[in-house]
Amino acid sequence: MRLHALDTPGVLADITRILSQAGINIDAILQKPAHKVGQVPIIILTLPVVESQMNLAIAQIEQLTAITDKVVRIRLDELA
């Protein structure tokens, strides 16, 4: 998922807490340099997860005051 957040202490902790409570395991996190002053893009890769768990987590993340835009979900589908 990709999201934009205010560059303040504790934001990443709030996001990871929400993911943990939803039973979502994180594979990798990348915080890019700020595009706008005080706002940073964050990319989070997760291990495979049930969609309803991700929907719940995204809804809670979007309610955080430090999140400045909608969370963009990028799905990874396996071809088998």
Side-chain angles (χ1 to χ4, degrees), residues 6-7 30-31 33 36 41 43 45 49 57 62 70-71 78:
L6 297 177
D7 191 12
L30 176 65
Q31 180 177 316
K36 298 177 184 176
I43 299 168
L45 303 178
V49 61
E62 288 178 342
K70 292 280 189 188
V71 173
E78 292 184 31

Side-chain angles (χ1 to χ4, degrees), residues 4-5 7 33-41 68-69:
H4 295 269
D7 191 12
H35 291 297
K36 298 177 184 176
V37 175
Q39 182 177 321
V40 293
T68 60
D69 204 353

Side-chain angles (χ1 to χ4, degrees), residues 29-56:
I29 297 176
L30 176 65
Q31 180 177 316
K32 303 293 261 175
H35 291 297
K36 298 177 184 176
V37 175
Q39 182 177 321
V40 293
I42 301 170
I43 299 168
I44 301 174
L45 303 178
T46 67
L47 297 178
V49 61
V50 175
E51 188 169 4
S52 61
Q53 289 173 288
M54 184 59 79
N55 291 341
L56 175 65

Side-chain angles (χ1 to χ4, degrees), residues 13-26 53 57 60-61:
D14 290 340
I15 294 167
T16 58
R17 178 186 43 77
I18 289 169
L19 292 174
S20 174
Q21 289 174 344
I24 299 171
N25 289 325
I26 297 170
Q53 289 173 288
Q60 291 176 347
I61 290 168

